[in-house]
Amino acid sequence: MVKQLGFILDTNRCLGCGACIKACQINNQLPAPLKWRQLRQIERAGDSQIQRFFLSTACNHCANPECLRVCPGGAYYKRRDGIVLHNPEKCTGCQSCVGSCPFNAPQLNPFTQKAGKCQLCYDRLDQGKSPHCVQACLTGALQLHEIRQTENNQLLRLTAQTPSLRLTRPSVFYKPPRPTEL
Amino acid sequence: MGTWEWPLIVFTVLSQISIGIIVGLLGLDCRNQLKEKLFKQGVVVSGILLMIALLASLFHLGHPEAAYRAITHLGSSWLSREILFFILTFVGWLYLLWLSFHPAGKLRSSLLITSVLGLLGIISSAMIYVLPRVPAWNNVAPVFFFILTAGLLGALALVILGGKELQPEQKKSLLNWALGCIIVSIFMFVLYASTIKVNAQGAATVQFLLSSPLFWLRAGLGWLAPLILLLIGLKSQKVFTASTLYLVFALVGVGEILGRALFYVSAVGIHISALF
Amino acid sequence: MYQTHRNICPRNCYDTCSILSTTRNGILISVEGDPLHEYTKGKLCAKALEDVKKVYSQKRIRYPMKQRGRFSGYWERISWDEALNLIAGTILRLREEYGNALPLALNKYSGNFGVLHNAMEGLFSGLGSTTRAIGSPCWSAGVDAQTYDFGTFFCSDPGDMGKSQLIWLWGVNPAWTAVHQMPLLLNAMDRGVKVVCFDTYFSATAARSSHFIQVRPGTDGLLALGFSKVIVEENLLDPDLASYSLGHEEFIQYLRRDIDLNHCAEITGVPVKTIRELAVDYAKTHPACIWAGFGLQRYTNGGQNLRAIDALGALAGHIGEPGGGVQYGQFKTWQFAGQLQGLHPKQTPESKGLLKSVPQDKENREDRLLSINNFAEQALQCSDPPVKMLWISGRNPLSQDGNLHLWKALIQKLDYIVISDLFHSMSSQAADLFLPVTTHYEHWDLHASYWHYWVGVNEPTIAPVGESRSDLQIAWAVSHKLNQLAPGSCAFPTGGEEKETLLKEVGPDMLEILGLETPEEILNGPVRARFPATAWENRRFKTPSGRFEFGSARAEASGLPAFPVYRPPLSPSEEFPLRLLTPHHATTINSQVYSSETEKEDFIFHLSPEVAERYALQTGERVLVWNKFGKLEGIVQIENRLPREAVILYQEPVKSNLPLNSLMGTPNTDMGNLSLGAPGFALNETFINLRKLN
């Protein structure tokens, strides 16, 4: 693997507006209610401060993708830039990937009866453009980086209770949220 | 929570009975030479069940016509391996079928090979569910549960199929075997429930099961009632009537189907989204 | 075949974004922000991203339709000619019956803020003296407050906030309602600038701010006076005050004499210690900016609230300071020629502003002006002659007005109701005739913002969908039909070119502020008005005294306090002990909905844990909320940091036959007459009771 592209989300800049999700839905022609990106609000409230922030997540293009491991048809492969691609031509709709991804990235498209997920707008990247979600982000909260070369001591990774889950090594980082002082 | 995966419930339970029958035939053959009629009956029924099971499995796919592609990722996909082993088991069964019409000497080794392939198929089936994402499945329990289903229902099916062809001690050993499977099942479940409780998702699964009336139905019908019937029957040394045997088989069958349904429904996956 | 066009989002929103739309073989396929527009910066909000779906929505009305009986839902497709005959026939009949055009009423507001939409006003002006809705449901009290203080209504370029060392967001929620300001605020925070959010509840913007100060609803003015008192006590006043302000000494006396910090803390809910710290920080940090939102002036004391905040800014010396000021909005960039709506050439550019666009050409005509906020009530009172025909354009009063039962009564008295819109609405249910209008992707238009300084042209991207027509085309067609039936019956033009009409609106005033030689130059792309980035930079004000007026004789003359003094908001009664706040939601603009996916099954009443405890309610339980105006059912949701004395109901799309305004009366704000001709809508002075439903 030469590179590993991954999303970096600055939780201090994400407004939870959902423009990333809509831009993805609209430009990838996803029929509602299908979404390749999800939004989750997280809140931790104390007496003197509140942390309320959003996590906008899509496929994390794991270094060690579970979808790729379990797919019986070999429909998943990893590009040299780290993108995990799903090839619908090889997909049998068995949903192994849907059940095994700890991030809920692949979803069954009810119209095609095949799995589908964020392909990181690889065709746009190949033309030197940003993915639609990054392009749409109003505040620059969502960015795409070559994460192996990113200084990541200031960044948070996703955590999971089970160590084995970390083995997928999601290629995603978060800038830690600042609290609002009360 | 998971969903009601009917195609998968039918596929796994029926394929496990089918392979259980083959293994049972092998076991009987090892003790005393199998009677031809019993062999033929067993093989035919096993084959019918296997074919229904394989057909049902196709309904799980979004694209059944593309099922052949699902065998192309043997390197890491247990689903690919499962399909391969089931195809090989089916080939083995075809040979057994041929043997049942053209008796020849290689019967025991053919049964052995088919049994091994079938068991590998069952283990592969179970390994599909050994996913880090689903703590309730991410252990040896699915393998045990699937093999126990095969052992239990395979033995009971053979008792019924065998009928008068079976010698009393053959019948008794099959029933003893079934009784053992039930006891191990109950023991395994208790062990399973107490080990998976350590994390939130496993605990949710246990909580769901224990609060579900279906689970208690499954425990009552599939474990407790047959356990009592078998204990009473085996202790009293009397020969089971055919109707009692049918009843035990039906109870266990319903229990295993409910149990398998609950296996799918009670699965709680981890959704990693936490930063802290 | 791909083509790109320039469009401008015409909605009632701070951002007024420049859009690049792409068509393929004449079909709109995508929209994105215009990177050349310094405010839009190539990005669009999640609402505007839905535009493509909205333009081609199945729900869009594509043909003129008439309804067989009001509220019957039996609509019949008719031709434009038939529709125009119905309209013109009604107009001519009523004018003949009553001898004048006053029975004809127009109720139009912010559905589309495009200048060419003023064709509707133009059409009505062409009919003679008619009945008009004037004023604004939105921001009137604040506009007047700033007009009393500064002389006119103006704010700095939004980019000016980038120079601030301290930013106070006061009752404004840009994370939901002005997203393009957020990058600037977030950049400031990344540089270490403190952003303090004042609001009645922990908003999406509060969540992105460094500090959140929870203010009791309607007490913002008192809080500002408390801050001012501290500034006086700590002797942190701007030493130059005397040189550019009027009445500061009296104001300081008032603060010393009448403002007590303990009382202030008790009423506002902000502890004395916090008031002191914030006030000192605000006075000592330069530049420091306050952005005051619209919510804090939607009270019966709304104008006073903003005047007190203006005074605070002035005392600390932040007015006219680059990166400082008290920002609220502006319409100085709205100096369009006004030809279309028939403005008299003698009218000052200021009075041609955004909302006072009703022409008062007193030599020929005197329209009957009804407050937009009390329209139904006042229209019912009109007897000589009564209002008989109503045209609703760019509005949804049956969803957005108060006292809806009066609307029901008015509808019964009206002979004919015409509505022009994109979609059916609560108001279209009452209409006799529905005219389908074009979206901003289907007509020419001209737009300015009430926040940033950019002005630009909206080009048609695609052919009109179905048989829809622009307001201008409709006005021409109606005039044409009138003149066909009765020559000389309407003075409005009977036809023309949209683009030519648009260029005529770029008159000498506009050319000057935009720095253009010819109107055609504006066709090249959006232009920023050439105002200095900082409002009141030289501290020469437009007030009668030319100074910042702590004491305003004009206010006094209107029966208002001359100085910003504390006037309490309305108090809850025993019968209706909870205030209802209905803030804008990120997914809607008033009743305009952008995505059917966001539609809620039920009204959701957001309660603080304290209110929930008082009523023994849990999240998810059903409640009945009622007052003397109406009742609504919904679901309770308990959240941290909501007001202890109020319930919050966002303006979200809900699958309901009743609008949330079923709970609204029509309380008026204290100000609004001066600039807008009518007081504003004190929406936040709504009180309710609630109980659990089983």
Side-chain angles (χ1 to χ4, degrees):
Chain A
M1 201 82 58
V2 180
K3 280 166 76 179
Q4 177 62 60
L5 291 173
F7 289 111
I8 295 183
L9 182 78
D10 182 347
T11 56
N12 292 303
R13 295 182 83 92
C14 177
L15 308 176
C17 74
C20 47
I21 296 172
K22 284 205 180 149
C24 171
Q25 260 185 323
I26 291 166
N27 291 296
N28 289 308
Q29 313 295 332
L30 303 184
L34 208 60
K35 286 175 188 157
W36 285 349
R37 180 167 277 284
Q38 313 285 336
L39 192 67
R40 194 179 290 256
Q41 180 181 319
I42 295 172
E43 180 163 326
R44 297 207 299 184
D47 285 341
S48 62
Q49 55 184 45
I50 294 184
Q51 267 178 313
R52 183 192 288 174
F53 59 95
F54 297 89
L55 294 183
S56 167
T57 51
C59 171
N60 294 320
H61 301 276
C62 299
N64 189 14
E66 186 76 343
C67 51
L68 190 150
R69 179 180 76 86
V70 301
C71 177
Y76 285 93
Y77 66 103
K78 202 160 166 63
R79 299 207 325 178
R80 291 176 67 79
D81 55 7
I83 302 179
V84 176
L85 274 187
H86 172 257
N87 177 0
E89 286 188 11
K90 290 187 175 178
C91 179
T92 60
C94 75
Q95 302 186 52
S96 295
C97 52
V98 176
S100 68
C101 172
F103 308 100
N104 262 10
Q107 288 171 37
L108 190 75
N109 181 330
F111 301 94
T112 63
Q113 286 292 315
K114 291 183 177 186
K117 70 165 195 82
C118 159
Q119 308 274 65
L120 208 60
C121 296
Y122 66 93
D123 46 344
R124 280 175 66 88
L125 295 186
D126 293 347
Q127 293 167 32
K129 297 184 193 163
S130 325
H132 285 297
C133 52
V134 171
Q135 176 68 35
C137 182
L138 279 138
T139 60
L142 186 65
Q143 299 189 353
L144 186 71
H145 285 280
E146 150 48 33
I147 57 164
R148 290 186 178 187
Q149 285 157 25
T150 307
E151 281 289 319
N152 55 20
N153 52 352
Q154 297 294 308
L155 299 174
L156 291 178
R157 292 201 89 141
L158 290 166
T159 61
Q161 303 92 322
T162 331
S164 55
L165 275 176
R166 293 188 206 123
L167 294 178
T168 69
R169 290 193 286 145
S171 311
V172 65
F173 287 95
Y174 296 89
K175 279 197 188 161
R178 286 186 292 253
T180 304
E181 306 289 336
L182 298 173
Chain B
M1 287 297 138
T3 46
W4 291 85
E5 300 279 359
W6 282 115
L8 294 180
I9 294 164
V10 173
F11 165 68
T12 54
V13 174
L14 293 192
S15 65
Q16 283 152 23
I17 303 176
S18 158
I19 289 157
I21 292 172
I22 303 288
V23 176
L25 287 174
L26 175 69
L28 291 176
D29 193 48
C30 287
R31 293 199 164 189
N32 319 75
Q33 179 91 35
L34 262 184
K35 287 190 182 168
E36 226 170 84
K37 194 179 167 199
L38 178 59
F39 176 69
K40 191 181 273 181
Q41 271 180 342
V43 166
V44 168
V45 170
S46 164
I48 290 170
L49 291 173
L50 188 61
M51 283 189 277
I52 298 174
L54 290 174
L55 201 64
S57 73
L58 291 178
F59 285 93
H60 170 67
L61 294 182
H63 288 264
E65 79 285 356
Y68 67 92
R69 290 208 200 99
I71 200 168
T72 57
H73 207 224
L74 292 165
S76 69
S77 169
W78 282 105
L79 181 50
S80 283
R81 295 170 190 165
E82 178 202 35
I83 295 168
L84 176 70
F85 284 123
F86 272 104
I87 290 170
L88 293 177
T89 306
F90 188 69
V91 173
W93 173 81
L94 282 177
Y95 184 64
L96 290 176
L97 187 70
W98 187 82
L99 281 182
S100 70
F101 288 99
H102 307 88
K106 300 268 174 66
L107 193 118
R108 190 170 298 170
S109 51
S110 309
L111 273 173
L112 178 68
I113 290 169
T114 311
S115 295
V116 168
L117 288 172
L119 286 172
L120 286 172
I122 292 178
I123 290 169
S124 304
S125 276
M127 288 305 291
I128 293 170
Y129 303 102
V130 181
L131 294 172
R133 189 197 155 201
V134 187
W137 292 347
N138 195 26
N139 48 50
V140 290
V143 177
F144 270 90
F145 288 150
F146 283 21
I147 289 178
L148 283 166
T149 302
L152 179 54
L153 281 171
L156 289 173
L158 260 188
V159 174
I160 290 170
L161 283 175
K164 293 191 179 107
E165 303 288 322
L166 283 174
Q167 291 150 11
E169 63 269 26
Q170 280 183 316
K171 193 183 249 181
K172 202 176 163 192
S173 64
L174 282 172
L175 290 173
N176 267 326
W177 170 255
L179 180 67
C181 284
I182 291 178
I183 293 167
V184 174
S185 285
I186 296 172
F187 176 73
M188 273 304 298
F189 180 80
V190 174
L191 192 69
Y192 165 76
S194 50
T195 35
I196 64 167
K197 265 203 313 206
V198 294
N199 61 54
Q201 289 75 20
T205 296
V206 174
Q207 163 76 22
F208 173 82
L209 286 176
L210 297 186
S211 61
S212 164
L214 280 181
F215 171 75
W216 294 108
L217 196 67
R218 180 258 186 284
L221 294 183
W223 286 335
L224 203 61
L227 183 76
I228 293 166
L229 286 173
L230 285 174
L231 275 175
I232 294 170
L234 285 166
K235 209 170 191 177
S236 67
Q237 304 285 335
K238 273 196 282 181
V239 183
F240 280 92
T241 60
S243 57
T244 316
L245 284 176
Y246 278 116
L247 178 66
V248 171
F249 182 80
L251 286 170
V252 171
V254 169
E256 288 304 300
I257 286 170
L258 277 177
R260 190 57 45 81
L262 287 166
F263 173 80
Y264 290 109
V265 175
S266 69
V268 180
I270 294 178
H271 290 183
I272 305 180
S273 63
L275 279 186
F276 310 111
Chain C
M1 191 48 203
Y2 292 93
Q3 273 188 308
T4 304
H5 292 269
R6 291 183 186 285
N7 303 86
I8 294 186
C9 184
R11 303 301 170 217
N12 185 347
C13 169
Y14 284 95
D15 293 12
T16 311
C17 290
S18 274
I19 299 172
L20 294 181
S21 59
T22 305
T23 57
R24 190 176 169 208
N25 300 328
I27 304 291
L28 180 65
I29 56 162
S30 78
V31 295
E32 56 192 330
D34 183 348
L36 295 179
H37 191 279
E38 282 171 24
Y39 196 64
T40 305
K41 285 203 170 90
K43 307 283 184 177
L44 292 179
C45 73
K47 295 185 283 276
L49 289 176
E50 296 277 350
D51 273 357
V52 178
K53 282 193 210 165
K54 222 180 147 176
V55 164
Y56 296 115
S57 165
Q58 290 293 316
K59 290 184 178 166
R60 191 156 160 208
I61 307 299
R62 289 166 161 75
Y63 312 100
M65 300 196 297
K66 67 178 180 189
Q67 190 171 212
R68 276 191 222 157
R70 288 177 190 161
F71 300 102
S72 73
Y74 287 104
W75 290 91
E76 188 184 324
R77 177 177 167 181
I78 58 174
S79 69
W80 269 104
D81 195 54
E82 195 179 346
L84 294 169
N85 269 317
L86 286 166
I87 295 169
T90 310
I91 290 173
L92 293 173
R93 175 175 61 76
L94 288 170
R95 219 165 46 172
E96 193 174 313
E97 189 178 333
Y98 292 95
N100 58 54
L102 286 172
L104 313 174
L106 175 64
N107 191 320
K108 169 176 174 282
Y109 193 56
S110 69
N112 185 317
F113 262 153
V115 169
L116 293 198
H117 288 68
N118 291 343
M120 290 310 301
E121 281 90 344
L123 172 67
F124 271 68
S125 297
L127 296 171
S129 299
T130 55
T131 303
R132 305 291 183 91
I134 58 151
S136 156
C138 178
W139 62 351
S140 314
V143 172
D144 267 17
Q146 293 223 314
T147 308
Y148 288 127
D149 294 334
F150 303 124
T152 182
F153 173 52
F154 192 43
C155 66
S156 297
D157 185 295
D160 196 55
M161 223 179 267
K163 302 173 195 150
S164 305
Q165 290 302 313
L166 173 67
I167 300 171
W168 281 13
L169 304 174
W170 201 324
V172 67
N173 187 7
W176 277 7
T177 59
V179 277
H180 289 82
Q181 193 73 18
M182 288 307 293
L184 200 140
L185 297 170
L186 297 166
N187 293 344
M189 283 178 69
D190 284 349
R191 288 195 309 270
V193 170
K194 196 198 280 180
V195 173
V196 185
C197 177
F198 296 79
D199 213 323
T200 54
Y201 69 105
F202 192 78
S203 65
T205 303
R208 298 277 70 80
S209 304
S210 3
H211 286 70
F212 169 62
I213 306 296
Q214 190 163 22
V215 188
R216 291 226 175 96
T219 67
D220 309 83
L222 181 59
L223 184 59
L225 295 170
F227 290 139
S228 295
K229 167 107 175 179
V230 175
I231 288 173
V232 170
E233 282 179 357
E234 301 284 333
N235 208 14
L236 294 167
L237 297 168
D238 178 12
D240 298 335
L241 262 188
S243 68
Y244 65 87
S245 71
L246 184 73
H248 69 282
E249 278 155 354
E250 271 178 272
F251 179 59
I252 289 167
Q253 262 183 14
Y254 164 75
L255 294 173
R256 285 191 196 280
R257 192 182 61 230
D258 291 335
I259 297 299
D260 171 65
L261 285 187
N262 289 319
H263 172 256
C264 175
E266 192 184 312
I267 301 290
T268 62
V270 184
V272 174
K273 184 168 167 277
T274 310
I275 296 177
R276 286 197 176 277
E277 285 169 4
L278 287 167
V280 170
D281 190 27
Y282 178 67
K284 285 190 172 169
T285 311
H286 290 275
C289 164
I290 295 177
W291 180 5
F294 300 142
L296 62 87
Q297 52 92 56
R298 289 184 187 134
Y299 293 90
T300 50
N301 63 352
Q304 287 299 320
N305 283 340
L306 190 55
R307 284 202 70 199
I309 294 173
D310 289 345
L312 166 66
L315 275 189
H318 293 312
I319 305 296
E321 175 181 80
V326 178
Q327 314 302 341
Y328 180 71
Q330 60 90 19
F331 50 54
K332 230 177 154 175
T333 54
W334 291 71
Q335 296 176 33
F336 302 105
Q339 270 199 17
L340 184 58
Q341 69 255 54
L343 282 187
H344 195 270
K346 276 186 280 188
Q347 277 183 288
T348 62
E350 229 86 281
S351 68
K352 289 180 205 163
L354 166 56
L355 300 173
K356 212 169 178 180
S357 53
V358 176
Q360 288 315 302
D361 179 356
K362 300 205 176 185
E363 289 153 40
N364 305 316
R365 258 188 14 252
E366 186 149 15
D367 288 326
R368 182 163 61 185
L369 305 179
L370 310 183
S371 163
I372 199 163
N373 299 317
N374 303 71
F375 185 85
E377 183 188 350
Q378 293 179 6
L380 281 166
Q381 283 162 10
C382 292
S383 57
D384 188 26
V387 174
K388 296 307 281 181
M389 173 180 168
L390 173 64
W391 192 317
I392 299 169
S393 170
R395 277 220 81 203
N396 186 4
L398 268 72
S399 160
Q400 300 305 103
D401 278 4
N403 268 324
L404 291 173
H405 66 282
L406 294 177
W407 263 104
K408 296 274 158 68
L410 176 63
I411 287 161
Q412 299 222 322
K413 293 211 165 176
L414 292 172
D415 275 12
Y416 208 64
I417 303 173
V418 182
I419 191 161
S420 31
D421 211 331
L422 293 164
F423 298 94
H424 271 309
S425 68
M426 291 205 172
S427 304
S428 74
Q429 293 178 18
D432 299 296
L433 188 65
F434 191 114
L435 302 179
V437 297
T438 44
T439 65
H440 51 293
Y441 298 98
E442 299 150 62
H443 58 234
W444 285 95
D445 220 329
L446 187 55
H447 297 269
S449 156
Y450 52 72
W451 179 238
H452 60 66
Y453 289 178
W454 290 79
V455 177
V457 164
N458 177 82
E459 301 169 344
T461 306
I462 54 170
V465 168
E467 292 180 3
S468 61
R469 295 186 183 184
S470 70
D471 276 5
L472 178 56
Q473 289 165 341
I474 292 173
W476 282 334
V478 171
S479 182
H480 181 77
K481 179 60 75 178
L482 282 164
N483 283 297
Q484 203 177 41
L485 296 176
S489 60
C490 181
F492 190 74
T494 55
E497 289 291 329
E498 282 188 343
K499 193 170 158 185
E500 297 307 312
T501 314
L502 175 159
L503 290 172
K504 280 187 203 153
E505 288 300 307
V506 187
D509 300 332
M510 204 63 183
L511 288 176
E512 196 193 321
I513 65 169
L514 297 180
L516 300 180
E517 297 287 322
T518 64
E520 283 76 12
E521 287 171 48
I522 201 166
L523 298 172
N524 299 332
V527 188
R528 183 187 174 281
R530 293 191 307 172
F531 299 132
T534 306
W536 316 116
E537 198 178 32
N538 52 18
R539 290 179 168 169
R540 275 199 290 275
F541 297 90
K542 299 275 185 176
T543 50
S545 64
R547 291 164 166 257
F548 177 88
E549 297 195 350
F550 286 101
S552 163
R554 283 200 293 180
E556 201 164 24
S558 313
L560 294 162
F563 287 87
V565 295
Y566 179 54
R567 288 283 179 270
L570 297 183
S571 303
S573 61
E574 240 173 69
E575 197 181 356
F576 303 111
L578 291 167
R579 192 183 289 274
L580 178 71
L581 300 177
T582 52
H584 283 113
H585 193 265
T587 58
T588 58
I589 291 183
N590 300 314
S591 69
Q592 291 171 332
V593 179
Y594 288 82
S595 162
S596 54
E597 280 175 57
T598 54
E599 201 169 60
K600 293 276 190 309
E601 293 294 327
D602 256 306
F603 287 106
I604 297 170
F605 296 100
H606 300 257
L607 267 57
S608 63
E610 294 83 3
V611 174
E613 198 187 333
R614 217 180 306 153
Y615 289 84
L617 290 165
Q618 305 285 330
T619 288
E621 288 183 325
R622 281 195 85 75
V623 283
L624 180 74
V625 169
W626 81 97
N627 59 17
K628 59 185 171 182
F629 303 105
K631 57 187 173 185
L632 291 180
E633 276 185 34
I635 303 284
V636 165
Q637 189 164 324
I638 302 172
E639 278 168 49
N640 284 317
R641 298 284 154 186
L642 295 183
R644 283 157 193 249
E645 57 286 284
V647 171
I648 291 189
L649 175 54
Y650 296 114
Q651 292 188 37
E652 284 180 279
V654 177
K655 286 177 189 156
S656 163
N657 298 325
L658 294 171
L660 67 86
N661 279 30
S662 308
L663 297 168
M664 303 281 175
T666 48
N668 282 332
T669 57
D670 48 352
M671 298 181 194
N673 278 310
L674 177 70
S675 331
L676 299 159
F681 193 172
L683 282 153
N684 292 338
E685 302 273 30
T686 302
F687 297 92
I688 51 129
N689 203 339
L690 60 83
R691 71 177 165 82
K692 191 179 342 189
L693 288 173
N694 293 319

